[in-house]
Amino acid sequence: MRFALLHGCAGFALLGMEAVWMRKIGLAAGNTYLAAAAVTAVFFVFAAAGGLAGGALARRVRPVRLYAVAESLTGAAGVCSFMLLPAAAHLAGVPAALGAVFVALAIAAPASFCAGMAFPAAAEALVTDAGGRARDAGAVYAANALGSALGMVAGSVVLPQALGYAWTLAFMCLIHLCTGAAALLLLRRRDARDGVRPQIFTSRDGGDGVRPQIFTSQRGCIRTERPTQLTIWGLTPPWGGVAYALAGMSGLAGMTLEFAALMWMRQWVHSSLYSTAAVLAAFIVNLAAGAWCATAWRRRGRPAVPLLAAAMAWTGAVAATCGVALPLLLRFTFPAMAGMAPSLAALAVAAFALVASMPAAVPAGMVFPLTWDIAAQGERHQGAVLGRLVAVNLACCALGALAAPLLLLPLLGLAGALAMAGALYAGGALVLSARTTFAHRRAAFIAAACAAAAAVALMVRQPRCTRLAAGESLVADYTGPHGVAAVVEDASPSRHIVLNQQYTLNGTSRALEPQRNESWIPLALLRSPRRVAFIGMASGISAGAALDYPIERLVAIEVAPEVIRAARAHFEEWNNGIFTDSRAEIICDDGRAVIQRAQKPFDAIICDLLLPWEDGAGALYSRDFLEIAARRITPGGLVCLWLPLYQHDDLLAGIVVRTMLDVFPYVLLVRANIDAREPYAGVIGLTAPCDMSEAVLSARLSSVKVKSRAHEPLFFRSTANFRLALLGDARANAHSFAGYPVTTDDRPAFLFHATERPAPSALLTGTNFLQWCAARSAEGSFVSCTLPAGDTAAQRAAMHAGVLYTEAGALFSRHPADSRAGMRAQIEAVRLMMRALGAAPGSEVRQEDMHY
């Protein structure tokens, strides 16, 4: 039990370190699934090499001392990675996953290798007879998995909020060092208690290092003068080759199942930092429960082979069934958690994930301990056998980490990926059922055969995995490493992309103009923009609007390849020829990494609306990214972050503006629509004040293609209307943002607060938005834009008129005209519009311009 506690602490520290590595390497090399898969593969490959080395050394040196050295070296390598983290960005100067591999080799590989040596050493120290595999080592394995689940949560969510990511990594390194010291202390106490050192058997014991011995198994007594000659990499027939095949299959199928389960859960819960950590921790807890169940049944005398066949058959059947039933299960929705405390929301997601993944993950957790049990029969050096099995298992885990997101999900879809994992488990059960005789062989054979047949059927014909609301119809869906991207039309009619049933990306119909304003308005503030980068292309409507300006190059960046496929096939009518215009370049990568690797500067870097709590989105709001972007723009250029204020509260929006003020000397706040229900706000950082004089605005508005559209856009009808787009000068009102925290890569205040999902009453919509606008324009002075004296008064009046128009739009949308209260509200709205027109006489805002 003491060793189980030590190994549990080691698992806690290792997964905590991995969580920090994944985030830091993602920031340096790109927050894409390609980069994440490459990092995970590097981790597993070097852990496999460490397992192989640990198994070989465990039979030559004292295993507890080897365990202590391995843990201490893991902590020391972690300390080195802690010191290398600031240089990670400079190591990632090559594209995409190759940069992630280079950074992972420098930061994660040494510690992963040392950590891989620990488990074989623990097995060699604990297992002294055949029953020890189930009695002792199985409990240690389960404790390690349980500690890993807790480490995932602590390293992803809990400790970074208090310590920051860098010191979280340092804390995990300290735990590894303490674990190594505790193992040495345990060894000394045992030596002092026994009074003698354990004997190390050498070739003098019989020529091959193995002394004649008696093993007692659950099926009876196996008495032998000398062990049978080992023939298949250290294992005897008939289970030598089968054991390695099952170990590799469980690694490949397990990683596929884990990735598919994560994507499966994202069809019900948002992909936030909390939910991702909760889902992964719940899956690992179920794996630990499966290992404990295998240990308990073996202690009670249950034979290993039937248990293994039943576990694999059951896992295959459940995975295939989930793939078949996925379209039916999508009819059910997870309760909304907006406004719930983050700890309670994470617990709710974890409980849901724990129950949902239990039928497949618990039997999957039984597979590896039982495989080791049948492989190591008749072998004295359990660490050597376990080291080789761990090496095969983790090498196939690395293969699964690459194959699942990059091959299986795009080719087979989510249901097909689940079915593939089920087919692999079912194939293992079929092999075991065919090679052995036990009471329930027929049942296991039938279950495995049915699972394999269902998996093949799902892989041949992929079911549609999209949840549709009333009045919606499915145009097409695409599955990729980021999930399911569905092209949906509603009754308005409006066509939009829905990612993982949760996040609506862009849309047509009345949403077109605000989306195009995301490019039109920032570019109208520049004298002559030539090179533009747009992060978050989605359907291409917002990014394509930049082509209405006489620019030379548009770099549109989208992280999800399935979204690009949907935009190319179904939004050509609205995205302004972004896929055919020679000036446009589409890049499927992380936007931050693309900007960091850019060789030529941009005149404007624009970030589209991002879901605030989406895992990875917070990196685009950090001071570190804004500093990178500031170095990648030309003198007089700008960086614009668009915020969906209907998903932000005052603290979230204040964090973004405060961080922008910390980097740029001049900051403006603009709007993309006049809509109190779904307001879009842009935070624009400038290196020099922009010229918004009447003469300059008139010249710029008349020189672009925007005015040539059939429906003349609201803010481009006249200079008076364009002035309505300005919400305020944040630099002139900097004192009102002084109390908000700055979000950084190491302490991402925006990310942690966004995952709390603000309550609907706190969101910046309706009255909250109006009050927020009034507070930001309270000073009425302008530092970030150049205005002559006469134009300053006009701009101040236009900002006041914009608030009145927004309030009128809120009244129009809140009260229909077919009631007495509605008639009074409509009359009041008209009065507000008249007051706004009086404040800004040249403005022209129609009722249909207020997107209600």
Side-chain angles (χ1 to χ4, degrees):
M1 293 305 297
R2 293 173 182 172
F3 220 99
L5 179 61
L6 282 181
H7 208 43
C9 291
F12 174 89
L14 184 61
L15 262 291
M17 290 172 66
E18 187 183 0
V20 177
W21 290 336
M22 290 292 290
R23 173 163 179 81
K24 290 296 184 179
I25 295 173
L27 291 174
N31 192 17
T32 66
Y33 271 102
L34 183 62
V39 172
T40 306
V42 168
F43 173 81
F44 280 127
V45 165
F46 278 85
L52 197 60
L57 291 173
R59 60 195 303 170
R60 294 179 174 85
V61 299
R62 301 192 68 185
V64 177
R65 180 167 294 168
L66 175 63
Y67 182 87
V69 170
E71 289 298 325
S72 300
L73 288 177
T74 303
V79 172
C80 294
S81 71
F82 172 78
M83 293 186 290
L84 284 173
L85 282 179
H90 303 288
L91 295 174
V94 294
L98 191 58
V101 171
F102 286 163
V103 180
L105 288 173
I107 291 179
S112 302
F113 178 84
C114 297
M117 298 170 60
F119 192 30
E124 186 73 14
L126 291 174
V127 180
T128 56
D129 54 54
R133 293 189 299 272
R135 183 182 63 247
D136 300 321
V140 172
Y141 179 81
N144 181 263
L146 182 60
S148 299
L150 297 176
M152 172 63 67
V153 175
S156 300
V157 177
V158 179
L159 292 179
Q161 295 193 54
L163 305 176
Y165 281 98
W167 286 107
T168 297
L169 180 61
F171 179 74
M172 297 302 177
C173 295
L174 180 63
I175 293 178
H176 274 296
L177 294 172
C178 292
T179 302
L184 285 177
L185 181 62
L186 191 65
L187 176 64
R188 289 185 178 183
R189 287 187 175 182
R190 190 178 71 175
D191 288 348
R193 181 192 63 198
D194 297 342
V196 294
R197 294 170 63 89
Q199 184 179 0
I200 305 295
F201 297 114
T202 64
S203 57
R204 292 190 298 273
D205 301 312
D208 57 359
V210 181
R211 177 172 289 177
Q213 55 189 304
I214 296 175
F215 289 98
T216 302
S217 70
Q218 304 295 347
R219 289 180 152 236
C221 184
I222 305 173
R223 193 175 298 272
T224 153
E225 273 307 306
R226 292 183 56 77
T228 307
Q229 180 68 33
L230 306 182
T231 58
I232 305 177
W233 204 17
L235 297 186
T236 58
W239 295 116
V242 173
Y244 288 123
L246 292 178
M249 180 280 307
S250 64
L252 178 60
M255 281 303 299
T256 302
L257 182 63
E258 181 177 355
F259 184 81
L262 181 61
M263 289 296 106
W264 193 75
M265 292 296 301
R266 285 183 175 176
Q267 309 308 305
W268 282 272
V269 296
H270 284 286
S271 174
S272 68
L273 184 68
Y274 284 98
S275 65
T276 301
V279 170
L280 291 177
F283 191 87
I284 297 173
V285 165
N286 280 326
L287 292 179
W292 185 265
C293 289
T295 298
W297 274 324
R298 288 293 287 141
R299 285 178 178 176
R300 294 180 181 180
R302 300 289 180 87
V305 174
L307 282 176
L308 181 57
M312 299 184 77
W314 181 266
T315 305
V318 171
T321 302
C322 288
V324 172
L326 182 59
L328 298 176
L329 295 173
L330 286 175
R331 297 180 182 179
F332 302 96
T333 58
F334 193 76
M337 295 180 293
M340 186 183 296
S343 56
L344 294 178
L347 286 175
V349 173
F352 175 56
L354 193 70
V355 174
S357 63
M358 186 179 294
V362 170
M366 298 172 60
V367 173
F368 185 78
L370 292 173
T371 302
W372 177 31
D373 212 351
I374 67 171
Q377 294 175 1
E379 169 67 24
R380 176 177 180 80
H381 293 284
Q382 301 293 322
V385 175
L386 181 61
R388 292 189 290 264
L389 285 174
V390 164
V392 174
N393 179 264
L394 293 181
C396 290
C397 282
L399 180 61
L402 293 172
L406 306 178
L407 183 64
L408 297 182
L409 207 61
L411 292 181
L412 304 179
L414 180 55
L418 283 167
M420 174 61 76
L424 290 172
Y425 280 111
L430 288 173
V431 171
L432 287 170
S433 302
R435 292 175 63 91
T436 58
T437 57
F438 53 90
H440 303 290
R441 183 181 68 166
R442 182 176 298 177
F445 187 86
I446 293 174
C450 292
V456 171
L458 282 172
M459 287 184 280
V460 171
R461 183 176 181 181
Q462 301 177 26
R464 294 296 179 95
C465 301
T466 303
R467 185 188 301 121
L468 297 175
E472 289 184 337
S473 60
L474 180 65
V475 178
D477 61 357
Y478 302 88
T479 305
H482 289 258
V484 180
V487 181
V488 177
E489 280 188 352
D490 58 26
S492 26
S494 176
R495 179 175 292 185
H496 47 271
I497 300 174
V498 180
L499 185 62
N500 289 329
Q501 329 294 328
Q502 305 289 335
Y503 184 22
T504 301
L505 308 173
N506 298 149
T508 59
S509 189
R510 298 183 70 93
L512 282 174
E513 187 176 321
Q515 293 171 56
R516 289 168 174 160
N517 281 333
E518 293 173 24
S519 285
W520 288 343
I521 291 175
L523 295 183
L525 298 176
L526 297 176
R527 187 180 303 275
S528 55
R530 290 289 178 262
R531 288 177 52 83
V532 179
F534 196 98
I535 301 175
M537 184 195 75
S539 65
I541 296 173
S542 301
L547 297 173
D548 286 328
Y549 285 79
I551 62 175
E552 297 174 355
R553 196 67 172 168
L554 168 65
V555 178
I557 310 162
E558 173 58 49
V559 72
E562 55 272 26
V563 172
I564 295 178
R565 292 166 59 197
R568 185 188 301 272
H570 301 283
F571 286 86
E572 185 179 359
E573 180 181 349
W574 301 279
N575 56 32
N576 206 17
I578 193 172
F579 290 99
T580 57
D581 197 307
S582 60
R583 297 174 295 165
E585 178 186 4
I586 313 299
I587 298 179
C588 183
D589 202 345
D590 177 61
R592 175 171 171 151
V594 173
I595 298 300
Q596 183 173 336
R597 295 193 300 261
Q599 300 297 318
K600 296 181 179 180
F602 296 97
D603 296 298
I605 298 175
I606 304 171
C607 292
D608 197 359
L609 301 173
L610 301 173
L611 198 65
W613 53 83
E614 182 77 13
D615 191 14
L620 294 174
Y621 297 111
S622 73
R623 182 178 61 192
D624 305 76
F625 169 68
L626 292 178
E627 290 172 348
I628 293 171
R631 294 193 296 267
R632 296 296 187 274
I633 58 175
T634 58
L638 62 83
V639 175
C640 178
L641 302 178
W642 284 101
L643 307 180
L645 291 184
Y646 51 90
Q647 294 170 340
H648 290 61
D649 61 3
D650 180 71
L651 177 57
L652 272 182
I655 289 173
V656 177
V657 180
R658 172 71 178 84
T659 306
M660 186 73 82
L661 287 168
D662 209 47
V663 176
F664 287 91
Y666 306 100
V667 179
L668 287 176
L669 303 178
V670 297
R671 68 166 89 211
N673 59 353
I674 296 182
D675 187 351
R677 293 195 310 170
E678 291 189 358
Y680 299 0
V683 185
I684 300 179
L686 299 150
T687 57
C690 64
D691 193 341
M692 291 188 63
S693 62
E694 187 72 18
V696 170
L697 285 182
S698 298
R700 289 178 184 171
L701 296 185
S702 61
S703 65
V704 297
K705 290 171 53 180
V706 176
K707 292 178 66 68
S708 65
R709 293 184 176 272
H711 174 70
E712 197 171 36
L714 165 64
F715 296 120
F716 290 82
R717 291 173 190 160
S718 63
T719 56
N721 274 39
F722 187 82
R723 294 188 187 281
L724 296 175
L726 186 63
L727 287 174
D729 189 328
R731 177 57 65 188
N733 293 272
H735 62 276
S736 64
F737 297 100
Y740 296 99
V742 174
T743 183
T744 64
D745 287 346
D746 191 59
R747 291 180 177 269
F750 179 90
L751 177 62
F752 289 134
H753 181 64
T755 51
E756 296 178 11
R757 300 289 303 278
S761 59
L763 297 177
L764 293 179
T765 59
T767 304
N768 292 342
F769 175 64
L770 294 172
Q771 293 174 350
W772 191 82
C773 293
R776 303 311 159 221
S777 58
E779 291 295 324
S781 59
F782 303 97
V783 177
S784 302
C785 53
T786 303
L787 287 167
D791 293 343
T792 300
Q795 183 59 65
R796 191 179 296 117
M799 291 164 57
H800 176 62
V803 174
L804 295 176
Y805 280 126
T806 305
E807 188 176 356
L811 288 174
F812 279 128
S813 62
R814 192 181 306 150
H815 301 285
D818 54 357
S819 64
R820 182 173 299 179
M823 289 296 296
R824 288 197 296 267
Q826 300 277 329
I827 293 172
E828 179 62 25
V830 172
R831 288 176 179 172
L832 288 171
M833 292 182 67
M834 296 301 295
R835 288 177 55 193
L837 186 60
S843 62
E844 179 191 354
V845 179
R846 306 158 191 156
Q847 187 171 330
E848 59 268 20
D849 293 324
M850 305 170 191
H851 298 275
Y852 64 92

